[in-house]
């Protein structure tokens, strides 16, 4: 009987109690299973890490995988137009990366400026403005003023002064630097203008055109004043070649300068002596 039991154990079985026939019947023994929460077996603790695992994670947990950093999102790209492009150009201009007047158009010069800015700060030199480039630029600059955004002109005209809403009026806003020719409250045309300096200021108020001189030359400053329309002493609305050439880098001697010759030529042909002039801030 002992021999039978020994052979049975070697074969993976164990002896069962004698049956009614007096013989031993073998029974299959299942392989030992590890208890997930017990202490038996080589992995009884549930810890799948080796004894020298440097992760420091608690037993029974896995080390989290690092989350990849999302790629920067493109905000502006060559060919785009709009107010945010204009703001970006004005900000680049503040730190001497853009030397033109902001136009609101993302052209080749803007692309070159962005590439230079990116290269200087170790960013990918793409020429497009992504979220990282924009955040860097905003952190180095301040919000542009209206005159910085429109340093070359083109500011939308201000709301007309109430004195401009009746009759024939040259409605001149110092705040938006515009002259709007209006007839009975209707806008006929609008043009950029500049004014006198702090030492020779353009007068505010309501006036009338008292004299027109197509080829006028100033006797005081010996300078040409084409399409001059005088409204207050020696102050007039007239074309200025200097304004056309240098923009708002200069100032008049008190007159209202217009730089678009075609527009003022058309205005000169329409304005009559006695028409109203309103200059306001």
């Amino acid at each position: 009987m002992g021999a039978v039991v020994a052979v049975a154990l070697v074969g993976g079985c164990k002896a069962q109690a004698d049956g009614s026939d007096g013989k031993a019947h073998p029974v299959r023994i299942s392989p030992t299973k590890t208890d997930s929460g017990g202490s038996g077996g080589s992995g009884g603790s549930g810890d799948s890490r080796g004894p020298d695992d440097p992760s420091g994670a608690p037993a029974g947990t896995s080390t989290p995988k690092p989350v990849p950093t999302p790629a920067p999102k493109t905000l502006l790209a060559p060919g785009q137009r709009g107010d945010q492009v204009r703001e970006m150009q004005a900000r680049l201009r503040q730190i001497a990366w853009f030397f033109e007047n902001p136009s609101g158009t993302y052209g080749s010069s803007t692309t070159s400026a962005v590439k230079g800015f990116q290269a200087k700060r170790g960013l990918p030199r793409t020429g497009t403005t992504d979220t990282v480039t924009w955040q860097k630029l905003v952190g180095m600059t301040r919000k542009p003023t209206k005159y910085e955004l429109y340093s070359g002109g083109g500011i939308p005209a201000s709301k007309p002064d109430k004195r401009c809403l009746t009759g024939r009026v040259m409605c001149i806003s110092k705040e938006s630097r515009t002259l709007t020719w209006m007839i009975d409250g209707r806008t006929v045309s609008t043009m950029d203008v500049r004014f006198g300096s702090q030492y020779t200021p353009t007068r505010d108020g309501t006036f009338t055109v008292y004299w027109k001189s197509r080829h006028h030359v100033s006797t005081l400053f010996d300078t040409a004043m084409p399409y001059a329309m005088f409204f207050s002493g020696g102050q007039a609305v007239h074309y200025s070649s200097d304004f056309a050439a240098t923009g708002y880098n200069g100032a008049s001697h008190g007159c209202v300068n217009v730089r678009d010759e075609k527009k003022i030529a058309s205005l000169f042909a329409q304005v009559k002596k006695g028409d109203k002039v309103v200059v306001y801030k």
Side-chain angles (χ1 to χ4, degrees), residues 170-264:
M170 284 194 283
C171 192
I172 303 171
S173 168
K174 288 185 174 180
E175 198 273 333
S176 64
R177 302 190 295 197
T178 55
L179 182 158
T180 303
W181 170 232
M182 304 183 70
I183 299 177
D184 295 329
R186 177 177 61 87
T187 296
V188 179
S189 62
T190 301
M191 58 204 74
D192 294 336
V193 294
R194 74 177 183 182
F195 305 96
S197 67
Q198 60 177 323
Y199 305 107
T200 56
T202 303
R203 303 181 188 99
D204 297 340
T206 302
F207 313 92
T208 57
V209 175
Y210 70 88
W211 182 33
K212 294 175 61 180
S213 178
R214 166 66 181 81
H215 300 287
H216 193 77
V217 176
S218 171
T219 55
L220 183 60
F221 301 103
D222 194 29
T223 55
M225 297 170 57
Y227 305 103
M229 294 171 278
F230 289 88
F231 62 86
S232 176
Q235 295 190 354
V237 175
H238 68 85
Y239 171 71
S240 169
S241 59
D242 180 70
F243 184 24
T246 65
Y248 291 99
N249 293 319
S252 74
H253 293 102
C255 289
V256 178
N257 290 165
V258 178
R259 63 175 167 186
D260 190 318
E261 189 169 8
K262 288 184 178 180
K263 284 188 175 183
I264 194 167

Side-chain angles (χ1 to χ4, degrees), residues 143-158:
K143 187 172 180 61
T145 66
K146 182 190 303 184
Y147 296 137
E148 287 177 320
L149 292 171
Y150 294 90
S151 58
I155 300 177
S158 298

